[in-house]
Amino acid sequence: MLATGSSSSSNPVTTFPTSASAEAATFKGNQDSFSLPWVEKYRPSVLSDIVGNEDTVARLSVIARDGNLPNIIISGPPGIGKTTSILCLAREMLGSQYKEGVLELNASDDRGIDVVRNRIKMFAQKKVTLPEGRHKIIILDEADSMTPGAQQALRRTMEIYSSTTRFAFACNMSSKIIEPIQSRCAILRYSRLSDSQLLKRLIEICRVENVDYVPEGLEAIIFSAEGDMRQAINNLQATHSAFNFVSYDNVFRVCDQPSPEILGAVITSCLNGDVDKAVTRLEKFWVDGDLVSRCQVPCYARIHEVGVHQGITIKFLDLKSGNRTNTYADD
């Protein structure tokens, strides 16, 4: 990692090569709106700028080039580019007709049956002049939050207007979409982003925004993001705004997550049978205002790194999910 700008910190700044240097010069995001949060300012506008899930994005690029978009469902964890992929696809397919040919609804807010009967149906009926082989696109974000009644009404609308309109659903869990809609769609699954993919985009943003950082700071952001690009960029901006320097300690002062170092010490104390010491360290979480629920995921990550016996790890996962049994009383 290469720290940009000048830093007044005494922490050593480590330099090592990265392939992001050439691409950082061309990746600029939406810099026309400087007041936007970074997560919006650097939201990709074309499919080629999307990070991760290369195979699926390549399929979307073929659709954007050839046209004839099917109804699609993109499912996966939050912050990995589902909605952005759909927006980029629609923008590349429709070009200057994007505003006229796209209806975007967040199903968390607009998820009742009235929306299907009114806004969606009226848009599907609207006549829009589009290039040959292109269709109007209705984007339903967080579609798994739609009520079952609205989904039932939507399947008939999809059939009636299939010659002029395509539907694109983004959701966290495709299983919450009713089977009749799933059978009418091509289902694409996105996975969490890798650490290297997050790092590449964070370095690009740091260079454009002239952010001072040390490698440990970006590593802390990646650890806290857990494969979520949106969370990583938000944490980067929050740390930079608060301290003007992205370091390990500064990141965990801003992020709503306990320090993995303290968690590691707690786990080590437990493995060594020193429960009193572990409890003493846990008290720091209560003093700092950290809740146990926010310790679970990073705690599991540290258990995996330490190499705890698989049986103990399974018991921890059972406890995490609430499956407590009397057999754990003696452990």
Side-chain angles (χ1 to χ4, degrees):
M1 280 171 281
L2 176 64
T4 61
S6 59
S7 171
S8 59
S9 171
S10 60
N11 293 333
V13 178
T14 305
T15 302
F16 56 87
T18 173
S19 61
S21 56
E23 298 182 21
T26 59
F27 174 76
K28 297 182 179 180
N30 182 16
Q31 295 203 51
D32 295 333
S33 302
F34 288 96
S35 61
L36 287 174
W38 288 358
V39 70
E40 294 297 333
K41 184 177 179 180
Y42 295 102
R43 181 188 291 270
S45 57
V46 293
L47 288 169
S48 59
D49 276 345
I50 293 176
V51 176
N53 297 287
E54 292 83 0
D55 293 340
T56 308
V57 173
R59 294 171 60 188
L60 295 178
S61 298
V62 173
I63 294 174
R65 182 191 66 207
D66 299 339
N68 195 23
L69 170 71
N71 297 314
I72 61 173
I73 297 174
I74 300 183
S75 67
I80 56 174
K82 302 185 299 295
T83 304
T84 298
S85 297
I86 296 175
L87 293 173
C88 291
L89 174 63
R91 192 174 290 109
E92 291 188 19
M93 290 189 66
L94 302 182
S96 61
Q97 299 298 319
Y98 173 82
K99 291 185 178 180
E100 291 292 325
V102 174
L103 173 65
E104 182 184 2
L105 296 174
N106 188 309
S108 291
D109 300 323
D110 307 299
R111 57 186 178 182
I113 193 170
D114 291 338
V115 174
V116 177
R117 291 174 175 170
N118 298 322
R119 294 187 64 183
I120 293 178
K121 189 173 182 179
M122 289 177 60
F123 179 81
Q125 293 173 338
K126 184 175 73 171
K127 294 186 180 297
V128 179
T129 301
L130 298 175
E132 184 179 358
R134 302 310 195 247
H135 303 81
K136 291 178 293 183
I137 301 175
I138 297 177
I139 301 173
L140 289 171
D141 195 8
E142 301 183 44
D144 47 353
S145 297
M146 291 183 68
T147 61
Q151 293 188 42
Q152 292 290 349
L154 186 59
R155 66 175 185 171
R156 182 60 178 160
T157 304
M158 294 173 66
E159 288 181 351
I160 295 174
Y161 302 102
S162 59
S163 61
T164 60
T165 306
R166 294 292 186 267
F167 289 79
F169 302 89
C171 61
N172 294 333
M173 299 179 62
S174 61
S175 59
K176 292 187 177 181
I177 306 294
I178 62 174
E179 288 291 340
I181 290 182
Q182 290 191 46
S183 65
R184 290 170 171 81
C185 299
I187 301 179
L188 308 176
R189 305 193 187 279
Y190 275 25
S191 59
R192 290 190 180 275
L193 304 181
S194 67
D195 291 354
S196 60
Q197 290 167 341
L198 291 175
L199 176 62
K200 177 182 176 182
R201 182 51 50 91
L202 290 177
I203 290 177
E204 291 171 353
I205 295 174
C206 286
R207 286 177 173 161
V208 175
E209 295 292 339
N210 196 29
V211 175
D212 293 334
Y213 67 89
V214 290
E216 294 78 10
L218 295 187
E219 290 172 3
I221 289 176
I222 292 171
F223 178 86
S224 64
E226 299 171 11
D228 184 333
M229 178 67 77
R230 180 167 54 226
Q231 184 69 52
I233 295 176
N234 282 333
N235 289 347
L236 175 65
Q237 183 177 13
T239 306
H240 174 66
S241 299
F243 302 102
N244 288 319
F245 182 71
V246 180
S247 66
Y248 180 91
D249 292 334
N250 289 344
V251 168
F252 283 104
R253 288 191 184 102
V254 170
C255 297
D256 188 23
Q257 199 174 84
S259 169
E261 297 299 329
I262 298 178
L263 284 176
V266 170
I267 295 170
T268 302
S269 297
C270 290
L271 292 175
N272 295 333
D274 192 349
V275 178
D276 291 337
K277 187 176 181 179
V279 171
T280 301
R281 293 182 180 275
L282 280 175
E283 288 178 352
K284 179 175 174 55
F285 290 135
W286 295 105
V287 173
D288 294 342
D290 287 318
L291 299 178
V292 175
S293 59
R294 293 202 294 267
C295 301
Q296 292 176 343
V297 173
C299 188
Y300 173 70
R302 295 298 295 180
I303 287 176
H304 182 71
E305 291 176 4
V306 172
V308 177
H309 187 273
Q310 185 176 7
I312 299 177
T313 304
I314 292 174
K315 290 182 179 181
F316 171 79
L317 291 175
D318 285 342
L319 288 170
K320 179 177 179 294
S321 63
N323 299 328
R324 302 175 184 271
T325 65
N326 293 331
T327 58
Y328 299 153
D330 298 330
D331 294 335

